[in-house]
Amino acid sequence: MKKGVFITLEGLDGAGKTTQIKRLAAKAQALGIETVTTREPGGTALGDAIRKILLDPAYKEMLPLTEALLYAASRAQHVEEVIRPALRAGKLVICDRFLDSSLAYQAFGGGLAAEYVRYINEEAVKSCKPDRTFVLDLDPQEGQARKGQMKADRMEQKSLDFHKRVREGFLQIAQKEPERMVVLDAMESPEAIFNAIWTNVAPLLSILR
Ligand code: TYD
Protein backbone atom coordinates (compact mmCIF):
# COMPACT_ATOMS: atom_id res chain seq x y z
CA MET A 1 0.00 0.00 0.00
CA LYS A 2 1.23 3.46 -0.92
CA LYS A 3 1.99 5.79 1.96
CA GLY A 4 4.38 8.30 0.43
CA VAL A 5 3.92 11.26 -1.90
CA PHE A 6 4.88 11.13 -5.58
CA ILE A 7 5.70 14.39 -7.37
CA THR A 8 6.89 14.73 -10.96
CA LEU A 9 8.28 17.65 -12.96
CA GLU A 10 7.76 17.89 -16.69
CA GLY A 11 8.64 20.26 -19.50
CA LEU A 12 11.00 20.84 -22.39
CA ASP A 13 14.76 20.59 -21.98
CA GLY A 14 16.11 23.81 -20.54
CA ALA A 15 12.91 24.60 -18.60
CA GLY A 16 14.73 24.45 -15.25
CA LYS A 17 13.36 21.21 -13.79
CA THR A 18 16.68 20.20 -12.22
CA THR A 19 17.02 23.45 -10.26
CA GLN A 20 13.49 23.15 -8.89
CA ILE A 21 13.90 19.48 -7.98
CA LYS A 22 17.08 20.26 -6.01
CA ARG A 23 15.37 23.08 -4.13
CA LEU A 24 12.25 21.07 -3.38
CA ALA A 25 14.27 18.10 -2.11
CA ALA A 26 16.44 20.35 0.06
CA LYS A 27 13.44 22.05 1.63
CA ALA A 28 11.61 18.78 2.28
CA GLN A 29 14.73 17.21 3.80
CA ALA A 30 15.23 20.25 6.04
CA LEU A 31 11.75 19.53 7.41
CA GLY A 32 12.81 15.97 8.19
CA ILE A 33 10.97 14.34 5.29
CA GLU A 34 12.75 11.35 3.79
CA THR A 35 13.15 12.26 0.14
CA VAL A 36 14.22 10.36 -2.97
CA THR A 37 15.07 12.27 -6.14
CA THR A 38 15.26 10.35 -9.38
CA ARG A 39 14.83 10.76 -13.13
CA GLU A 40 13.62 9.21 -16.36
CA PRO A 41 14.85 7.74 -18.55
CA GLY A 42 17.19 6.14 -16.02
CA GLY A 43 17.02 6.01 -12.25
CA THR A 44 18.35 2.42 -12.15
CA ALA A 45 21.49 0.73 -13.54
CA LEU A 46 19.44 -0.89 -16.30
CA GLY A 47 17.49 2.30 -16.93
CA ASP A 48 20.71 4.28 -17.29
CA ALA A 49 21.91 1.78 -19.90
CA ILE A 50 18.62 2.23 -21.81
CA ARG A 51 18.99 6.02 -21.44
CA LYS A 52 22.38 5.88 -23.19
CA ILE A 53 20.80 4.13 -26.18
CA LEU A 54 17.85 6.55 -26.28
CA LEU A 55 19.97 9.70 -26.23
CA ASP A 56 22.83 8.51 -28.46
CA PRO A 57 22.79 10.65 -31.65
CA ALA A 58 24.29 7.68 -33.53
CA TYR A 59 20.85 5.99 -33.64
CA LYS A 60 19.24 8.35 -36.14
CA GLU A 61 17.11 5.51 -37.51
CA MET A 62 15.25 4.88 -34.23
CA LEU A 63 11.52 4.56 -34.89
CA PRO A 64 9.01 6.39 -32.67
CA LEU A 65 7.68 2.96 -31.69
CA THR A 66 11.13 1.68 -30.65
CA GLU A 67 11.63 4.88 -28.71
CA ALA A 68 8.31 4.53 -26.87
CA LEU A 69 9.02 0.90 -25.95
CA LEU A 70 12.48 1.75 -24.61
CA TYR A 71 11.14 4.61 -22.47
CA ALA A 72 8.46 2.24 -21.14
CA ALA A 73 11.09 -0.44 -20.44
CA SER A 74 13.20 2.00 -18.45
CA ARG A 75 10.06 3.07 -16.56
CA ALA A 76 9.04 -0.52 -15.68
CA GLN A 77 12.39 -1.12 -14.01
CA HIS A 78 12.34 2.28 -12.32
CA VAL A 79 8.87 1.90 -10.81
CA GLU A 80 9.58 -1.58 -9.46
CA GLU A 81 13.14 -0.95 -8.19
CA VAL A 82 12.95 2.63 -6.94
CA ILE A 83 9.61 4.44 -6.95
CA ARG A 84 7.19 1.88 -5.52
CA PRO A 85 9.47 0.73 -2.67
CA ALA A 86 10.12 4.37 -1.66
CA LEU A 87 6.39 5.19 -1.70
CA ARG A 88 5.62 2.05 0.30
CA ALA A 89 8.18 3.20 2.86
CA GLY A 90 6.33 6.51 3.19
CA LYS A 91 8.93 8.67 1.46
CA LEU A 92 8.62 11.69 -0.78
CA VAL A 93 9.61 10.77 -4.34
CA ILE A 94 10.48 13.61 -6.72
CA CYS A 95 10.95 12.44 -10.29
CA ASP A 96 12.39 14.37 -13.23
CA ARG A 97 9.90 13.30 -15.97
CA PHE A 98 7.48 10.35 -15.97
CA LEU A 99 4.64 9.00 -18.13
CA ASP A 100 3.52 12.48 -19.25
CA SER A 101 6.86 12.85 -21.08
CA SER A 102 6.09 9.72 -23.12
CA LEU A 103 2.67 11.13 -24.01
CA ALA A 104 4.07 14.55 -24.95
CA TYR A 105 7.21 13.37 -26.80
CA GLN A 106 6.24 10.02 -28.34
CA ALA A 107 2.54 10.73 -28.98
CA PHE A 108 2.21 14.49 -29.58
CA GLY A 109 5.79 14.89 -30.86
CA GLY A 110 6.45 11.54 -32.53
CA GLY A 111 2.96 10.91 -33.85
CA LEU A 112 2.09 7.65 -32.06
CA ALA A 113 -1.49 7.26 -30.86
CA ALA A 114 -1.78 8.47 -27.26
CA GLU A 115 -3.90 5.39 -26.41
CA TYR A 116 -1.09 3.14 -27.62
CA VAL A 117 1.51 4.97 -25.54
CA ARG A 118 -0.76 4.63 -22.50
CA TYR A 119 -1.29 0.95 -23.29
CA ILE A 120 2.42 0.04 -23.44
CA ASN A 121 3.02 1.92 -20.20
CA GLU A 122 0.12 0.38 -18.30
CA GLU A 123 2.02 -2.61 -16.94
CA ALA A 124 5.12 -0.48 -16.28
CA VAL A 125 3.30 2.07 -14.19
CA LYS A 126 0.49 -0.08 -12.78
CA SER A 127 -1.22 2.05 -10.16
CA CYS A 128 1.81 4.28 -9.62
CA LYS A 129 0.38 7.70 -10.45
CA PRO A 130 1.91 11.04 -9.47
CA ASP A 131 0.03 12.92 -6.76
CA ARG A 132 1.09 16.22 -8.32
CA THR A 133 2.84 17.12 -11.57
CA PHE A 134 4.36 20.50 -12.39
CA VAL A 135 4.78 21.41 -16.05
CA LEU A 136 7.41 24.09 -16.57
CA ASP A 137 6.11 25.63 -19.77
CA LEU A 138 8.71 27.09 -22.13
CA ASP A 139 9.06 28.20 -25.74
CA PRO A 140 11.29 25.56 -27.40
CA GLN A 141 13.52 28.24 -28.94
CA GLU A 142 14.18 29.65 -25.48
CA GLY A 143 14.93 26.10 -24.26
CA GLN A 144 17.49 25.65 -27.03
CA ALA A 145 19.06 29.02 -26.27
CA ARG A 146 19.38 28.11 -22.58
CA LYS A 147 21.17 24.87 -23.48
CA GLY A 148 23.68 27.05 -25.37
CA GLN A 149 26.82 25.32 -26.57
CA MET A 150 26.07 22.03 -24.82
CA LYS A 151 26.12 19.14 -27.28
CA ALA A 152 22.54 18.22 -28.24
CA ASP A 153 21.50 14.59 -27.56
CA ARG A 154 19.37 12.55 -29.99
CA MET A 155 16.08 13.90 -28.60
CA GLU A 156 17.29 17.51 -28.54
CA GLN A 157 18.38 17.20 -32.18
CA LYS A 158 14.76 16.71 -33.27
CA SER A 159 13.18 19.61 -35.17
CA LEU A 160 11.75 22.80 -33.75
CA ASP A 161 8.34 21.65 -34.99
CA PHE A 162 8.68 18.44 -33.00
CA HIS A 163 9.43 20.41 -29.84
CA LYS A 164 6.53 22.79 -30.50
CA ARG A 165 4.19 19.78 -30.64
CA VAL A 166 5.69 18.45 -27.40
CA ARG A 167 5.05 21.78 -25.68
CA GLU A 168 1.46 21.81 -26.94
CA GLY A 169 1.14 18.19 -25.79
CA PHE A 170 2.09 19.00 -22.21
CA LEU A 171 -0.44 21.85 -22.17
CA GLN A 172 -3.23 19.65 -23.50
CA ILE A 173 -2.48 16.83 -21.06
CA ALA A 174 -2.47 19.35 -18.20
CA GLN A 175 -5.79 20.78 -19.29
CA LYS A 176 -7.40 17.35 -19.05
CA GLU A 177 -6.13 16.70 -15.52
CA PRO A 178 -6.26 20.04 -13.71
CA GLU A 179 -6.48 18.43 -10.27
CA ARG A 180 -3.11 16.70 -10.72
CA MET A 181 -1.23 18.99 -13.09
CA VAL A 182 -0.07 22.55 -12.54
CA VAL A 183 1.37 24.58 -15.43
CA LEU A 184 3.99 27.17 -14.47
CA ASP A 185 5.65 29.74 -16.71
CA ALA A 186 9.33 28.76 -16.98
CA MET A 187 10.21 32.37 -17.88
CA GLU A 188 9.42 33.44 -14.31
CA SER A 189 12.35 33.69 -11.90
CA PRO A 190 13.50 30.44 -10.24
CA GLU A 191 12.41 32.01 -6.91
CA ALA A 192 8.87 32.69 -8.11
CA ILE A 193 8.57 29.21 -9.63
CA PHE A 194 9.81 27.59 -6.45
CA ASN A 195 7.37 29.58 -4.32
CA ALA A 196 4.49 28.46 -6.52
CA ILE A 197 5.60 24.82 -6.30
CA TRP A 198 6.08 24.96 -2.55
CA THR A 199 2.72 26.61 -1.89
CA ASN A 200 1.06 23.85 -3.87
CA VAL A 201 3.04 20.94 -2.45
CA ALA A 202 3.22 21.85 1.25
CA PRO A 203 -0.32 20.64 2.09
CA LEU A 204 0.41 17.29 0.41
CA LEU A 205 3.54 16.84 2.50
CA SER A 206 1.79 17.36 5.80
CA ILE A 207 0.97 13.62 5.92
CA LEU A 208 4.73 12.81 5.87
CA ARG A 209 5.79 15.02 8.76
P1 TYD B 1 16.26 14.62 -19.66
O1 TYD B 1 16.88 13.73 -18.63
O2 TYD B 1 15.32 15.66 -19.18
O3 TYD B 1 17.39 15.30 -20.54
P2 TYD B 1 18.63 16.21 -20.07
O4 TYD B 1 19.42 15.40 -19.09
O5 TYD B 1 19.35 16.45 -21.36
O6 TYD B 1 18.03 17.44 -19.46
O7 TYD B 1 15.45 13.71 -20.70
C1 TYD B 1 16.04 13.09 -21.77
C2 TYD B 1 15.20 13.24 -23.00
O8 TYD B 1 14.25 12.16 -23.10
C3 TYD B 1 14.40 14.51 -23.09
O9 TYD B 1 14.67 15.11 -24.35
C4 TYD B 1 12.95 14.06 -23.07
C5 TYD B 1 13.00 12.64 -23.52
N1 TYD B 1 11.93 11.75 -22.99
C6 TYD B 1 10.97 11.21 -23.87
O10 TYD B 1 10.99 11.52 -25.07
N2 TYD B 1 10.04 10.35 -23.39
C7 TYD B 1 9.99 9.97 -22.07
O11 TYD B 1 9.12 9.18 -21.66
C8 TYD B 1 10.98 10.54 -21.18
C9 TYD B 1 10.97 10.15 -19.73
C10 TYD B 1 11.92 11.42 -21.69
Side-chain angles (χ1 to χ4, degrees):
M1 204 190 68
K2 172 174 175 279
K3 292 186 297 183
V5 172
F6 185 21
I7 291 170
T8 60
L9 273 84
E10 298 281 3
L12 292 173
D13 291 302
K17 292 182 275 87
T18 315
T19 308
Q20 296 300 331
I21 287 170
K22 279 194 191 138
R23 292 187 68 157
L24 183 55
K27 184 135 183 175
Q29 273 158 349
L31 293 171
I33 296 169
E34 274 196 90
T35 306
V36 173
T37 59
T38 187
R39 68 165 180 187
E40 290 200 349
T44 64
L46 196 51
D48 282 335
I50 297 172
R51 178 186 175 90
K52 284 207 182 78
I53 299 173
L54 276 164
L55 301 186
D56 189 341
Y59 299 122
K60 294 246 178 311
E61 72 280 23
M62 193 183 296
L63 301 171
L65 178 57
T66 311
E67 205 175 272
L69 290 166
L70 286 174
Y71 279 112
S74 164
R75 185 163 300 125
Q77 197 68 28
H78 192 211
V79 167
E80 200 59 31
E81 249 187 66
V82 178
I83 300 177
R84 200 184 301 279
L87 292 175
R88 280 213 183 103
K91 296 179 186 173
L92 167 65
V93 177
I94 310 170
C95 191
D96 189 339
R97 300 189 182 281
F98 197 61
L99 175 59
D100 298 307
S101 271
S102 281
L103 293 168
Y105 282 83
Q106 281 67 56
F108 285 87
L112 294 180
E115 307 78 68
Y116 183 69
V117 174
R118 279 191 195 281
Y119 170 74
I120 58 172
N121 276 280
E122 223 167 70
E123 262 314 286
V125 169
K126 293 185 197 128
S127 58
C128 202
K129 202 174 172 186
D131 296 295
R132 197 70 89 239
T133 297
F134 296 97
V135 177
L136 302 189
D137 177 52
L138 188 69
D139 184 305
Q141 274 165 311
E142 172 66 20
Q144 275 171 10
R146 287 185 185 186
K147 284 257 156 181
Q149 298 305 309
M150 272 165 67
K151 205 166 160 276
D153 63 38
R154 195 184 61 83
M155 295 302 292
E156 289 162 352
Q157 285 180 10
K158 293 186 190 251
S159 69
L160 184 59
D161 266 2
F162 174 91
H163 287 99
K164 283 183 179 165
R165 292 197 298 276
V166 172
R167 179 192 195 185
E168 186 51 36
F170 278 128
L171 295 177
Q172 285 194 30
I173 300 163
Q175 238 175 19
K176 285 201 182 133
E177 285 189 72
E179 66 297 333
R180 172 173 69 91
M181 299 183 70
V182 179
V183 178
L184 298 168
D185 182 355
M187 293 301 283
E188 295 279 333
S189 71
E191 295 296 313
I193 296 171
F194 182 70
N195 287 339
I197 292 177
W198 186 254
T199 305
N200 189 289
V201 153
L204 284 183
L205 300 188
S206 59
I207 59 160
L208 303 180
R209 296 168 65 183

